[in-house]
Every structure is written in C-alpha cells, then in structure tokens.
Amino acid sequence: MPIEDPQPATPQPQGAPDATTSTPARRAPRPRPAPAPAQPIAAPTPRRRAMPATGDRASSEQPTPPAPRRRAPRVGASAPTAEQLAEQRMPEPVAPAEPRPLPAIPRGISPANTVFVSLCFEGPDVYSTAGGLGTRVAEFTEALATLGFDTHLIFVGDPNKAAVEDRIGGRLHIKRWAQWISQYYPNGVYDGEEQKLNEYNNTVPYHVYEQIAKPAIEQGKAIVVIGEDWHTAEVVSRVSDVLHWHGVRNRALIMWNCNSLMSLHRINWGRLGYTATITTVSRYMKHRMWQYGVNPLAIPNGIPRRYLDPVDTAAVTELREVMRRGDPDRTFLFKIGRFDPDKRWLMAVEAVARMKASGKRVSMIIRGGIEPHGGEVLRRANELGLRVVNIEAKRPTSRQCIELMRDAGEADIYNLRFFVPEEFVRMCYAAADATLANSGHEPFGLVGLEVMAARGIAFTGSTGEDYAISFENAVALETEDPDEIVGYLTHIQQHPEEREKIRAEAYRTASEYVWEEVIDNLIGKLGYMARKQNLTFD
C-alpha cells in the first residue's frame, strides 16, 4: 500500500494540475523554524530472537542482525538543501597510481629486441611428426635461432624425452607439452588428441606470460607469438587475453597461420580475427579462406639452406643407371608423400600403366605413409598389370639404399617400406626424370620446392605452388588426366635443352625460398602489424 503523508495537504491553486498527473507543479517553500542543534542518537539495540534448540542443546551463537530496512521517501517531501547535500558529499576519489612505464623497444625488429614463440601440436620429435607441419616448425624455429633470435617452440612432444631442451647455442628452447598425457597415448601426437588439446589450451597461455613474455618485456623486448593450424586457434586467443589482463598486450604481435583446411569449422573466426593477425602459406590458401570471412596475409613456407648443397654427382649417376636397368631410354620416376587422395596417387599409377601399355618402360620409386589409401593405390597398380616390389629395411644409409634398389630386380614400381634418409631422397630428386608432386589440393607444395633445390624436375599441381612456372622451373599439371603426365614427359625427353633449362631455373627459384629469405619477408609483415597496433620501436 502507498505510504500516506502525515502532513496536511496544501490547497492547490486554481488551474494547477492534479496530484495524480505525471508532472506535479512546483510548490512554494513553507517557512520552517530554525532547526534545533542535532543530538546524537544512540543506535537501537537489536532485538534478539530466541534460537531454536538443536537436539537437546540450544545454540549459543546469535544470528547476524539484519540490515536496516530502507524507507521509501515520503510523498510530497521537499528536496534536500545545498547545505544538507554538502554534509553528505562523498570524499573526492583518489586517482590510481601511474603504471610503471615499460622500457622502450630499440629501433627495428632484431634479435636484440624480439623474442619468438612458436605454438604447434607437431614438432621435431618422431613422435610429434605426422606430416609437413612438424617439418615446417622445426626448420622455421631452427632458422630463427640461427639468425640470433631467442625462440621458444611449444609442442606435444615425446613423453620419454626431456621436457625442456636447449639447442642452437641456447637460443632455441624446445618445450615438450602434455607429456603426462602422452604417456597413455604412445601412438603419436594425434593419439588422444582431444585430451592433449584441452591441456594445451588451459596451460600454455600462462606459461607464455609468466615464463616468456613477462621477463622479456621487462627487458624492453617485444614478443611475437605464432600459432600453427587449427589446434592453436583457441590458445593464441587465450594468450592474447592473458597478456591483455596483465596490461602488456600492446607489446606482443600475435599471429595464427593456416597450413591446411582441416577442421576449420571448429574455429571461432570472429574471436580469432580480433585477437590475432591471420596468415597463410600461399595465395591459393588465401582465396580458400575467403569463404570464412577472413582475408589473411600470405607468408610462404621455406626450406633449409642445406637443401641447396650439391647432391653427390657420382651417387646420382649410379642410382640413375640402377633404375634404368641397362635401358638408357627407360623413364625413372619418383613420388613421395602421404597416401592421401589429394596427392593423386591413382593418377600417377595410371600414368605409369599407360606408358607401359604404349611400349615405354618405366621404373618408379614410391614412398608413402601408413594411411589406408595406400592399399587402394597398390591394389589398383596390380589391376593395371604393374609389377610392384615391396622393399623392407631398418634405417639404411644412402649407400645401402642404392644397393637395395640394385638387388630388388626388375619391377615397374618399387615401394619403399622404411624410413628413407634425407640424402637418398635428394638423390632421387636429382636422378629421376621427374618427381610427381601432382597434388590436386596443396596448400603450399613443399615437396616441389625441395625437388627444385636438388636441381630436379618437379611435376606439380596448380593450387598452392605459387613458385611454379610451367616449363620454366617446373611442369604444372592442370587436370586429373594421366595422359597429361605422359604427354609432358614425352615432350621434355624429346627436348633435352628444355630439361636443362628447367633444372637450372628450378635451383635459382629454390634459393629464393630458403628460410632466411622467408623470415625477411615475415619481418616486413611484422612491421606492418606493429604499425596497426601502435607498437613503436624507439
């Protein structure tokens, strides 16, 4: 019920609005007697209530007195005077202390003022490598450390190795994460994937702030954090949140790099685009990502500078002679990669079968993975009448690999079922008439670039291989037709001058994609990012 005013109602002047209207008329103030001196009023003693007994004994504790009830204002009460308001004025707020200024960052991004942090599920351990991503982060971080940058690589590592390992003169810090979970999942980095992902997301951000960012920023350095692929999309946002909470987000450049189209539906693109700069590895991938409402920067992959070292010429000549089996016109082909339909293994096998059917002898060495598609590939080869020989070995040297090929005898396809040393792979690149890196979907095409560095001839697809110019430094295939492979092979074999031009130009192109050149490209993009967020280098 409404509270009635105990004061008698003042008569309303003629024409004044009724009290029930929304805007009451202003009353003239009534004269009041001078107030008596204020007397201190003793606080009333709260009335104690009897507490109910618990069992046979009443509780001796008294309840907390209730807060005094706030009375509703009297209807028609006058507003407080200025003097009364002055007595009730709150004290002036105290301004917070000025934050301690952070040290200035020296001019330009350099090893003296920048620390890199690479976040990735895969890494350099055999346990942690499932594809090209592990190779990318291992080589990228090694190149950064070699250039003098303090670099941290945090990945899901082998549970039987040291949790932390320093390399490259103590500048590369390898940090194996979630090892306590990996002990229960011995079959590689993606065994127990969701449990590892949860651990990674929850614990890595605080480690980055406490152990890396905080001490570096106190020394006047900037932080560059780069997450790789969908597994790190959430963690880079959380790293940004933690740095923002501690007031140092403006001293960090955070990037998220897309190497493949896998599981992109799991990414919160709005949040990721707000907390990090999105990048990818080719213009093809840039266009594929437009459908997600993002327009990433394109920063290519790289290769180690050692890939430009000359391949043993005598070993290359010997391997070529072994694979031709005494027939100088026999075609030697090579293909390596995961057994994935995107790699177009069936197209390669069909091309070999068509060459054999036309009377052209072919020897092809293949090295796939353990993926189920491999069974389909080998079964199709048998259906086409191709003779397949499986070659088993345990960690052979390059010399032993050549002897294994010599002892394998006559075949159309030689299926290597062992870990192939890097040196022998590069021999195959250089010795083969062509390496079939003919993927239908390739975010970047690292194999093609490795072939070019060995002065080989790469038959690439036409997706992410931005570096490939057909019949200049490679042969770019534009269809799924096996006859396209056969036709181009026939052409370059009939024009030896074309082959030599491709090999020479391929090597020159590969030299532009060594990691040192790619990192120079990256630093240019970091300068743009720093300008966008007002991170200045004094």
Side-chain angles (χ1 to χ4, degrees):
M1 296 180 61
I3 301 176
E4 297 182 356
D5 189 344
Q7 301 293 335
T10 304
Q12 298 284 344
Q14 189 68 25
D18 188 77
T20 60
T21 60
S22 59
T23 308
R26 186 183 299 274
R27 299 180 183 178
R30 293 183 299 175
R32 294 176 181 267
Q39 299 294 329
I41 301 175
T45 303
R47 186 173 55 187
R48 296 184 177 180
R49 296 180 182 179
M51 298 295 294
T54 303
D56 298 331
R57 181 166 56 91
S59 172
S60 61
E61 296 181 1
Q62 300 299 328
T64 303
R69 297 176 60 187
R70 187 182 299 275
R71 293 184 178 180
R74 293 187 306 168
V75 177
S78 60
T81 65
E83 290 79 7
Q84 291 171 328
L85 289 174
E87 293 175 358
Q88 300 175 7
R89 185 175 299 163
M90 297 294 293
E92 293 293 334
V94 179
E98 289 292 330
R100 182 168 58 89
L102 295 171
I105 303 175
R107 185 177 301 277
I109 295 175
S110 70
N113 61 26
T114 307
V115 175
F116 279 85
V117 181
S118 177
L119 306 178
C120 187
F121 238 53
E122 294 190 31
D125 295 348
V126 173
Y127 176 90
S128 309
T129 302
L133 182 58
T135 302
R136 168 188 159 83
V137 296
E139 294 172 350
F140 172 54
T141 53
E142 286 179 5
L144 283 170
T146 301
L147 291 173
F149 288 96
D150 190 32
T151 306
H152 300 256
L153 171 57
I154 304 176
F155 67 102
V156 178
D158 189 329
N160 299 313
K161 293 189 175 182
V164 179
E165 181 181 344
D166 292 335
R167 301 179 180 177
I168 318 293
R171 294 185 298 275
L172 175 58
H173 312 285
I174 301 293
K175 300 181 178 180
R176 298 179 173 92
W177 220 254
Q179 287 180 296
W180 70 275
I181 297 177
S182 298
Q183 290 177 350
Y184 300 97
Y185 297 99
N187 296 322
V189 60
Y190 296 118
D191 188 16
E193 181 177 14
E194 294 297 332
Q195 293 91 326
K196 295 172 181 177
L197 180 61
N198 184 65
E199 171 76 3
Y200 200 91
N201 287 338
N202 288 331
T203 57
V204 165
Y206 299 95
H207 174 82
V208 170
Y209 169 69
E210 292 287 349
Q211 303 299 322
I212 304 173
K214 184 178 178 181
I217 291 171
E218 289 175 350
Q219 297 171 18
K221 296 182 179 181
I223 304 297
V224 177
V225 180
I226 304 176
E228 302 284 351
D229 262 15
W230 75 269
H231 292 94
T232 63
E234 173 64 19
V235 78
V236 296
S237 293
R238 294 192 187 187
V239 168
S240 175
D241 292 344
V242 171
L243 296 179
H244 176 75
W245 175 263
H246 290 280
V248 293
R249 176 61 181 84
N250 64 326
R251 300 298 290 267
L253 301 174
I254 299 181
M255 304 166 58
W256 178 80
N257 187 56
C258 185
N259 295 276
S260 72
L261 299 176
M262 186 177 296
S263 295
L264 297 189
H265 65 281
R266 298 184 59 164
I267 294 176
N268 183 336
W269 291 102
R271 183 183 185 206
L272 180 62
Y274 182 79
T275 56
T277 298
I278 299 175
T279 66
T280 190
V281 292
S282 64
R283 289 192 295 271
Y284 163 74
M285 284 293 291
K286 176 186 181 77
H287 298 161
R288 290 296 302 268
M289 293 174 68
W290 284 353
Q291 63 184 294
Y292 297 97
V294 296
N295 188 26
L297 300 177
I299 302 173
N301 270 321
I303 57 174
R305 184 170 290 277
R306 70 177 184 275
Y307 282 8
L308 298 178
D309 294 342
V311 185
D312 187 342
T313 304
V316 168
T317 301
E318 182 182 3
L319 177 61
R320 186 179 292 126
E321 291 176 352
V322 168
M323 298 310 298
R324 286 183 175 164
R325 305 291 174 183
D327 182 359
D329 293 329
R330 188 165 187 159
T331 302
F332 173 25
L333 301 178
F334 181 55
K335 185 170 177 63
I336 186 171
R338 291 178 293 110
F339 278 127
D340 187 301
D342 282 340
K343 305 299 182 183
R344 286 181 175 168
W345 283 91
L346 293 177
M347 178 185 179
V349 168
E350 290 275 357
V352 173
R354 294 186 187 188
M355 293 179 71
K356 182 177 180 179
S358 66
K360 185 73 172 179
R361 301 180 69 191
V362 182
S363 293
M364 183 165 73
I365 296 176
I366 66 172
R367 174 65 173 103
I370 61 173
E371 296 79 13
H373 183 58
E376 183 181 355
V377 171
L378 297 177
R379 182 170 59 252
R380 181 57 179 161
N382 288 321
E383 292 171 354
L384 293 170
L386 299 177
R387 185 169 187 268
V388 179
V389 172
N390 296 322
I391 302 178
E392 307 276 356
K394 283 190 176 181
R395 297 278 179 171
T397 64
S398 297
R399 179 74 253 166
Q400 291 170 335
C401 287
I402 295 177
E403 294 304 322
L404 287 169
M405 301 310 302
R406 190 191 308 276
D407 298 338
E410 183 74 26
D412 301 306
I413 296 177
Y414 300 86
N415 180 28
L416 307 186
R417 302 181 62 178
F418 55 85
F419 178 80
V420 183
E422 179 183 294
E423 184 181 1
F424 183 71
V425 172
R426 298 190 69 227
M427 287 180 188
C428 291
Y429 289 157
D433 293 294
T435 297
L436 302 184
N438 56 312
S439 298
H441 159 70
E442 190 65 65
F444 179 76
L446 197 57
V447 170
L449 202 59
E450 293 173 356
V451 175
M452 296 163 74
R455 297 182 184 269
I457 298 178
F459 276 45
T460 71
S462 296
T463 51
E465 298 91 343
D466 294 343
Y467 52 81
I469 304 174
S470 197
F471 293 101
E472 289 292 330
N473 57 12
V475 175
L477 303 171
E478 301 185 53
T479 72
E480 298 181 2
D481 186 356
D483 279 331
E484 190 178 10
I485 295 177
V486 177
Y488 294 160
L489 274 172
T490 302
H491 173 79
I492 63 174
Q493 286 175 335
Q494 292 173 349
H495 297 83
E497 73 286 352
E498 193 92 6
R499 294 200 307 267
E500 296 311 311
K501 182 190 75 171
I502 292 174
R503 291 181 186 274
E505 189 63 22
Y507 183 81
R508 188 198 64 78
T509 300
S511 66
E512 297 177 352
Y513 282 86
V514 294
W515 274 115
E516 290 81 359
E517 297 293 334
V518 173
I519 290 171
D520 190 52
N521 182 335
L522 169 64
I523 289 175
K525 299 290 176 68
L526 290 174
Y528 157 71
M529 292 169 53
R531 178 178 176 83
K532 290 291 289 183
Q533 69 178 55
N534 294 323
L535 174 59
T536 58
F537 292 83
D538 185 12

